[in-house]
Amino acid sequence: MQEPRSATRYNFGAIAEVIDLDEPDALVSLTRDLSLSGCFVTTTTPYPEGTRVRVRIIHSGAEFVAVGNVTANVTPKGMGIAFTQIQPNDQAILETWLDSAG
C-alpha cells in the first residue's frame, strides 16, 4: 500500500537531470509529475529506492535544484523522488511553476 501524498501533484513535463550523490552517475530525462514535495521522473534505468539524488529541472528558461531521495515508487517507467532540501530561491521557482500548472 502506498502512503498518501502530502502535496497535490500536477502533470508537468520538463527536462530533469538526476545525479546519484554517492556515484558519479547522472541521467537526463523528463518529469511527468511535480509537486511541492517531489516529482516523478521517466526513465528506463531508475535508481534503487533510498538513493540520495540531486534533481535539476529546467523549464521555461528557469532552473530548479533540490536534493531528495528515491521513493518506493520505482517502476520500469521511472522513479518517484521526494525532495528533502530546497533552497528558498528554488522553492520560489517551484511555487511559480505549480501556480501556472494548476
Side-chain angles (χ1 to χ4, degrees), residues 2-82:
Q2 287 188 339
E3 297 175 22
R5 293 197 169 121
S6 60
T8 302
R9 288 194 175 246
Y10 297 92
N11 283 332
F12 192 84
I15 296 169
E17 176 187 62
V18 183
I19 297 172
D20 182 336
L21 292 178
D22 297 322
E23 300 285 334
D25 191 22
L27 64 88
V28 176
S29 187
L30 297 173
T31 57
R32 188 180 75 191
D33 297 325
L34 184 66
S35 77
L36 288 173
S37 61
C39 65
F40 188 88
V41 176
T42 59
T43 178
T44 56
T45 55
Y47 296 129
E49 177 183 352
T51 303
R52 290 186 57 236
V53 295
R54 188 186 74 171
V55 181
R56 185 168 68 111
I57 300 172
I58 301 164
H59 180 72
S60 297
E63 181 177 296
F64 164 83
V65 177
V67 173
N69 293 316
V70 175
T71 68
N73 186 15
V74 176
T75 72
K77 294 186 177 173
M79 61 187 160
I81 298 170

